[in-house]
Amino acid sequence: MELFEGRPASETGREAKEIRVYDLLDQLNIRYKRTDHQPADTMEACEEIDAVLDVLICKNLFLCNRKKTKYYLLLMPGDKPFKTKELAGQHGIQRLSFASAEDMEKYLDIKPGAVSVMGLMNDTENEVQLLVDEDVLEGEYFGCHPCVNTSSLKMKISDVFQVFLPAVHHEPIYVTLPWKES
């Protein structure tokens, strides 16, 4: 794997949703580094990518309530364990489970294994609430997929939270998840 500045030189073989991410980041003047790789659909597969990017890629979980009337995208450190009960009661969030692949595509235009904060650009009706574990904010850089799991990006956390999210009209709710199960 090689690290590149910005978007690929050629769009050949790239999905439209990936190109839309690069277009928006460029339009917002957000600088980013990129690496291309084999499909990374597990956190284990992301370890080598993390080393190339020199950043920990966030775990991105697409969740919903029991009635499937509220959807959430949870960002948390990739190496932090997650138990749905740890979110219970925070900000009135109750009884969460993993949302379906169909709903993921419907709201974020992303397939399983490629879930990313970048998908919020496709949620123009603001159906998905962004939840962010406060530990994500501790670093200077942020790693994520550009809506496909064959490329990964590195950008400044401040650009994601102060430029990208306001541009796509999504305000995060900050949550605190423990490193160990309580």
Side-chain angles (χ1 to χ4, degrees):
M1 278 184 283
E2 203 174 330
L3 195 58
F4 300 96
E5 282 288 335
R7 70 186 308 130
S10 171
E11 295 179 5
T12 304
R14 306 238 178 215
E15 292 188 49
K17 61 179 126 191
E18 178 184 5
I19 299 305
R20 287 194 312 267
V21 170
Y22 302 138
D23 289 344
L24 181 58
L25 293 176
D26 292 347
Q27 176 189 340
L28 296 173
N29 293 313
I30 294 177
R31 296 186 62 170
Y32 56 96
K33 294 187 182 208
R34 174 189 51 80
T35 188
D36 298 323
H37 46 75
Q38 293 298 313
D41 48 12
T42 66
M43 288 311 296
E44 292 78 23
C46 292
E47 289 177 8
E48 185 180 350
I49 299 162
D50 290 354
V52 171
L53 292 175
D54 191 28
V55 66
L56 184 66
I57 293 182
C58 280
K59 189 181 292 184
N60 299 263
L61 304 175
F62 189 55
L63 307 166
C64 65
N65 65 359
R66 183 175 286 183
K67 295 179 182 178
K68 296 187 178 187
T69 57
K70 293 185 179 182
Y71 292 86
Y72 302 90
L73 176 62
L74 172 64
L75 273 65
M76 59 187 292
D79 58 347
K80 191 180 227 187
F82 174 68
K83 302 284 185 198
T84 57
K85 71 178 184 175
E86 302 297 349
L87 271 179
Q90 291 191 48
H91 305 282
I93 299 167
Q94 296 293 331
R95 297 186 175 139
L96 293 180
S97 62
F98 290 96
S100 69
E102 293 80 16
D103 285 338
M104 188 183 300
E105 287 197 62
K106 176 182 175 181
Y107 294 112
L108 301 177
D109 192 22
I110 295 179
K111 293 182 180 175
V115 182
S116 164
V117 69
M118 295 293 121
L120 292 174
M121 68 183 279
N122 300 314
D123 178 30
T124 57
E125 300 297 319
N126 288 82
E127 298 288 338
V128 179
Q129 174 62 60
L130 177 62
L131 304 175
V132 179
D133 183 338
E134 293 175 339
D135 287 336
V136 167
L137 305 175
E138 289 185 5
E140 181 179 359
Y141 290 94
F142 181 88
C144 67
H145 294 306
C147 295
V148 296
N149 68 353
T150 53
S151 293
S152 295
L153 306 176
K154 174 183 180 176
M155 62 192 85
K156 287 191 171 190
I157 288 175
S158 58
D159 285 339
V160 173
F161 286 87
Q162 296 169 16
V163 181
F164 175 78
L165 289 174
V168 298
H169 310 290
H170 278 78
E171 187 172 328
I173 291 176
Y174 297 98
V175 297
T176 304
L177 300 173
W179 280 95
K180 294 183 178 180
E181 189 175 346
S182 54

